Amino acid sequence: MSFADLLRPEIAGLEPYTPILPLDVLAARLGIPIERLVKLDANENPYGPSPRTTQALADLASIDGPAGRLSIAIYPDPAQTRLRAALSGYVGQPAASILCGAGADELIDLVLRLFLSPGDAVIDCPPTFGMYSFDTGVNAGRLITVPRRADFSLDIPAIEAAAASSRAKLLFLTSPNNPTGNLTPPAEIARLLRLPLLVVVDEAYMEFAEPGGATSVIPWVPRHANLAVLRTFSKWAGLAGMRVGYGIFPDWMIAQLWKIKQPYNLSLGAETAAIASLSDIDYLRANVARIVAERDRLLARLGALPFLLPHPSESNFILCRVTQGDAHALKLALERAGVLVRYYNTPLLRDYIRISVGTPAQTDAVIAALQQASVGT
Ligand SMILES: *Cc1c(COP(=O)(O)O)cnc(C)c1O
């Protein structure tokens, strides 16, 4: 026998996830020093975390810190009490409705594990974040794909028809959507909440939309038994490397999530970093405002290039259709110049690149590299 026959069949048939290369590996491959790379491929925060976070992490590791160096040798709080209390103030919901994860990514997987038996259907609306389909596959679910319209808005009647015919248990919505940058209008979410399924609204980028007056659906959770909202510290708070996300869930659901959560899923470093971030909101919001201002400048500069069609964004990235030449070739030409952008090898996004909003200097670098690359290709 082959021991590989022992594998779960749906795992054996799964496409492997294409991981992002670590920066040092990429720098060595390109022959460009790390500090000269312009990293605009993963929507990270160019200003990093708050100085209070850096200090809190240093204190954790220091023998002179609050609990001494030994605090790292002790398991973290499985109930996430201090962070959930701090988040309660931030999102305006009771701590009892909040559960934190090692990134929002962990919570996407946890929610799917809670509902899916093999073959159960999940509705996904691409182009969107890849983790919903990835984790549906890992959890042996059946992915029902309802593509967005040409303007990247949701096809509501098609979602309703798919829900009826597939008897899907879950629907993932992203607002603002990654990689298209547009918000999902609250009225559309309200309509979809009438479906007999759980609606998970991923607001990973909502902090970049809120200064413009966009509204989160977090306040709706107490009124809708089938609404869950996910958030993360990775983007607005500059903590992608620490892995902290959270969700606001209805009572019946959070009780079940607590049962299946790994007890120590949130590391001490992640909890410490997130609490310190919430104590320095004004600092972090000022950086969000700089990124939002830079987004508008980047959009204008990209729009002036004859071979790109950038889409307006409510987030910290801009999706661009490459209207002349090949998008993958353009991504590789930029990479050779040390500018990293995101390319998707998927049917719906073959002609697109996504550029994260960085500092003003990074905007100038990506525009110069784009002008150079268009001459070269
Ligand atoms: C980046 C991203 C996440 C992942 O957040 P983590 O907290 O880093 O796991 C979730 N949803 C969307 C739409 C994202 O783009």
Side-chain angles (χ1 to χ4, degrees):
M1 76 172 281
S2 159
F3 290 114
D5 292 340
L6 302 176
L7 288 167
R8 281 168 53 198
E10 57 286 354
I11 302 290
L14 211 60
E15 286 292 321
Y17 181 74
T18 317
I20 300 246
L21 289 178
L23 217 47
D24 53 340
V25 173
L26 194 62
R29 181 197 278 186
L30 294 170
I32 300 173
I34 277 196
E35 61 280 2
R36 279 201 31 229
L37 290 179
V38 177
K39 188 174 185 338
L40 301 175
D41 60 350
N43 302 340
E44 290 127 336
N45 193 317
Y47 301 109
S50 117
R52 280 195 204 165
T53 298
T54 323
Q55 187 58 52
L57 290 172
D59 289 347
L60 255 195
S62 153
I63 193 125
D64 309 319
R69 213 157 43 87
L70 268 183
S71 56
I72 293 179
I74 309 289
Y75 281 104
D77 173 16
Q80 312 164 341
T81 313
R82 289 194 312 138
L83 178 53
R84 289 171 45 242
L87 278 169
S88 173
Y90 180 63
V91 301
Q93 294 296 318
S97 305
I98 301 170
L99 186 132
C100 307
D105 282 358
E106 189 199 9
L107 297 172
I108 294 166
D109 179 58
L110 205 64
V111 166
L112 287 164
R113 286 210 260 161
L114 196 57
F115 289 98
L116 294 191
S117 296
D120 284 345
V122 176
I123 299 178
D124 187 40
C125 303
T128 191
F129 189 48
M131 281 297 142
Y132 318 130
S133 54
F134 170 79
D135 285 316
T136 297
V138 171
N139 287 290
R142 183 164 47 99
L143 195 72
I144 309 290
T145 298
V146 183
R148 288 163 180 266
R149 296 184 224 256
D151 64 357
F152 299 132
S153 63
L154 293 173
D155 188 342
I156 304 283
I159 294 173
E160 288 170 341
S165 61
S166 69
R167 294 206 266 144
K169 288 184 161 181
L170 288 127
L171 163 65
F172 282 94
L173 302 176
T174 321
S175 187
N177 187 43
N178 175 11
T180 60
N182 54 316
L183 285 158
T184 304
E188 294 184 357
I189 298 176
R191 177 164 160 184
L192 293 170
L193 281 167
R194 292 192 215 124
L195 293 170
L197 44 66
L198 184 82
V199 178
V200 182
V201 179
D202 183 341
E203 294 189 343
Y205 299 96
M206 189 50 87
E207 278 85 354
F208 298 101
E210 273 173 340
T215 43
S216 163
V217 292
I218 288 176
W220 296 8
V221 173
R223 287 186 274 123
H224 291 275
N226 62 334
L227 172 64
V229 183
L230 303 180
R231 290 276 187 111
T232 176
F233 284 80
S234 292
K235 309 327 189 325
W236 74 280
L239 292 186
M242 293 305 296
R243 315 303 302 128
V244 205
Y246 58 98
I248 298 92
F249 301 100
D251 294 344
W252 65 271
M253 186 176 162
I254 202 163
Q256 305 299 322
L257 284 169
W258 278 110
K259 292 204 284 194
I260 66 167
K261 171 182 100 58
Q262 295 286 330
Y264 306 116
N265 66 326
L266 194 67
S267 78
L268 181 65
E271 184 186 35
T272 304
I275 291 169
S277 299
L278 292 174
S279 80
D280 208 3
I281 294 269
D282 290 347
Y283 175 91
L284 291 170
R285 285 203 175 126
N287 285 343
V288 167
R290 287 157 88 185
I291 292 166
V292 168
E294 192 58 23
R295 170 179 80 203
D296 297 341
R297 195 175 78 94
L298 177 63
L299 182 71
R301 304 271 326 254
L302 292 169
L305 297 170
F307 53 95
L308 286 186
L309 189 71
H311 287 264
S313 169
E314 303 285 343
S315 195
N316 69 337
F317 50 81
I318 294 177
L319 186 69
C320 304
R321 190 153 76 82
V322 180
T323 54
Q324 294 162 33
D326 179 67
H328 191 223
L330 180 60
K331 180 234 151 68
L332 294 175
L334 292 173
E335 192 173 271
R336 286 192 295 275
V339 175
L340 313 179
V341 302
R342 185 72 199 266
Y343 172 74
Y344 305 87
N345 194 13
T346 62
L348 291 175
L349 292 173
R350 196 135 287 152
D351 299 329
Y352 291 84
I353 57 172
R354 187 197 67 194
I355 305 173
S356 306
V357 181
T359 62
Q362 288 177 321
T363 297
D364 296 342
V366 68
I367 295 296
L370 280 164
Q371 283 164 339
Q372 198 61 41
S374 73
V375 176
T377 50

